[in-house]
Amino acid sequence: MKVLKFGGTSVGTVDALRNVKYIVEHQQEPVVVVVSALGGLTDTLIEAANLAAKNDIGAYRIVQDITTRHSEIMNTLIEGEQIDDALNRVRALFYELSNAYTDISRNEELTEADLEEVVSYGERLSSLIISLIINDATYFNSLEIIRSNNHECDIEATNTNIANTLGKFKGKVAVMGGFISRDSNSRRISNLGRGGSDYTAAIVASALNADSLEIWTDVDGFMTADPKKDPNATVIRQMTYQQAQEMCDKGAKVIYAPTIKPVAEKNIPIWVKNTFNRGAVGTLITND
Ligand code: ADP
Ligand code: ASP
Ligand code: MG
């Protein structure tokens, strides 16, 4: 089996999600699909939290926009009879999100716990919706699987949970949210740090001894530099875990730095591939 991770830009629009659906439905072997929140949504959720803390009704306007954005995607990509059931399941999350902002407004202060709760809705919404868009996919709730302490994965507890859930799954496509977790001590909702969906995917790949980890993003592979800053950047066809780790540590955000170690330890190859250019070879990261 393989683990496929799709980042925010890969799941941000209807057209992008059509690519994701195509890629996942054309896999030959069973896959676990790890998804980020819709592109830009985590920042938007934080912005609304700051407004709510100032009692600014702008927070509710943002909740309305978030509701519209997700609903439009569902109405376009979920077929016939399934749409009503899907909208009902997702509506419960919109309702909870709105209540979370009401609580922040009432307290007129924004705690770390509040912030961790509201940002979690990004991946909770995207993972549920994407599991409904992809044919024959099964949804897994990351909040029941991924455990963390201070934004670092609690590997022991998490591996036990993975073995008891995804490890027993006999279907072809499992879908779960990246980034989000529950704190091992407080049991509160938490996360693995900004950009952490890559790390979720690596933890799952390692626990399940996956054949490979594929990071699907918006560039043709791991490049010599950030192509947004350096127009002469070129794709690196093959690199070692160590080379990738060094570049990630220096800020190459194409892969979140803590991602490399869990898969390198198990010698699981990492592919970096472009959701918008499936034909491109991408980058292969291995031991040699
Ligand atoms: P995702 O939403 O898929 O997680 P990110 O925005 O986190 O995507 O990472 C992809 C982005 O990383 C690219 O669009 C690119 O601008 C940036 N980037 C920075 N350094 C590199 C690099 N060395 N190679 C490729 N992309 C890089
Ligand atoms: N949605 C989270 C973020 O924007 C995690 C991720 O995209 O990997 O940081
Ligand atoms: Mg990323």
Side-chain angles (χ1 to χ4, degrees):
M1 59 80 57
K2 295 198 287 191
V3 177
L4 275 51
K5 180 263 173 176
F6 292 91
T9 51
S10 298
V11 300
T13 63
V14 164
D15 284 343
L17 282 164
R18 284 206 171 99
N19 291 333
V20 171
K21 181 172 161 70
Y22 182 94
I23 291 163
V24 174
E25 290 175 2
H26 285 77
Q27 295 296 319
Q28 305 298 322
E29 53 188 303
V31 290
V32 177
V33 177
V34 176
V35 296
S36 293
L38 305 195
L41 202 85
T42 308
D43 289 332
T44 306
L45 288 163
I46 295 170
E47 189 193 331
N50 286 313
L51 291 173
K54 287 187 259 168
N55 229 328
D56 186 325
I57 63 153
Y60 296 97
R61 261 182 231 124
I62 292 180
V63 173
Q64 196 52 49
D65 290 347
I66 291 173
T67 307
T68 306
R69 186 175 174 197
H70 287 85
S71 303
E72 279 175 4
I73 285 175
M74 292 173 74
N75 282 315
T76 313
L77 294 175
I78 298 176
E79 283 140 34
E81 296 149 19
Q82 289 167 314
I83 186 73
D84 286 340
D85 179 44
L87 283 170
N88 279 338
R89 287 174 70 185
V90 172
R91 225 171 261 137
L93 288 173
F94 292 144
Y95 181 72
E96 279 180 43
L97 175 62
S98 185
N99 281 345
Y101 285 125
T102 305
D103 287 343
I104 295 170
S105 290
R106 199 172 291 138
N107 298 334
E108 288 187 40
E109 98 171 300
L110 186 59
T111 65
E112 180 71 12
D114 291 330
L115 209 49
E116 293 190 340
E117 190 199 341
V118 292
V119 295
S120 76
Y121 285 94
E123 274 73 9
R124 288 159 81 184
L125 283 163
S126 66
S127 56
L128 178 56
I129 292 171
I130 292 165
S131 76
L132 299 166
I133 290 172
I134 296 170
N135 287 336
D136 297 324
T138 301
Y139 168 73
F140 283 83
N141 184 352
S142 297
L143 294 179
E144 287 167 13
I145 300 176
I146 309 297
R147 293 281 169 270
S148 62
N149 283 315
N150 292 324
H151 304 274
E152 272 200 34
C153 186
D154 173 349
I155 292 289
E156 211 182 300
T158 301
N159 281 354
T160 305
N161 292 342
I162 292 174
N164 289 331
T165 53
L166 296 161
K168 293 186 175 149
F169 179 57
K170 297 279 181 276
K172 192 156 177 255
V173 181
V175 177
M176 65 190 286
F179 175 61
I180 55 176
S181 61
R182 219 172 252 290
D183 190 274
S184 290
N185 299 318
S186 68
R187 294 271 149 182
R188 277 208 308 259
I189 291 174
S190 188
N191 60 63
L192 302 177
R194 294 301 305 271
S197 294
D198 298 329
Y199 186 26
T200 306
I203 291 157
V204 171
S206 168
L208 297 174
N209 290 309
D211 295 319
S212 63
L213 165 63
E214 296 182 0
I215 304 287
W216 288 85
T217 183
D218 62 348
V219 287
D220 278 348
F222 209 124
M223 303 177 78
T224 49
D226 183 347
K228 289 191 184 103
K229 294 185 187 143
D230 180 354
N232 296 320
T234 53
V235 174
I236 305 165
R237 279 291 165 81
Q238 198 159 355
M239 59 202 301
T240 63
Y241 295 121
Q242 197 188 339
Q243 286 166 334
Q245 186 69 67
E246 279 165 15
M247 286 184 73
C248 292
D249 289 342
K250 284 190 201 135
K253 73 172 243 196
V254 62
I255 300 179
Y256 181 50
T259 304
I260 312 283
K261 198 169 154 238
V263 279
E265 278 170 359
K266 294 263 180 105
N267 223 339
I268 296 168
I270 307 174
W271 280 97
V272 181
K273 303 204 39 113
N274 191 346
T275 306
F276 304 91
N277 186 14
R278 294 191 296 270
V281 183
T283 299
L284 175 62
I285 306 170
T286 58
N287 233 336
D288 39 47

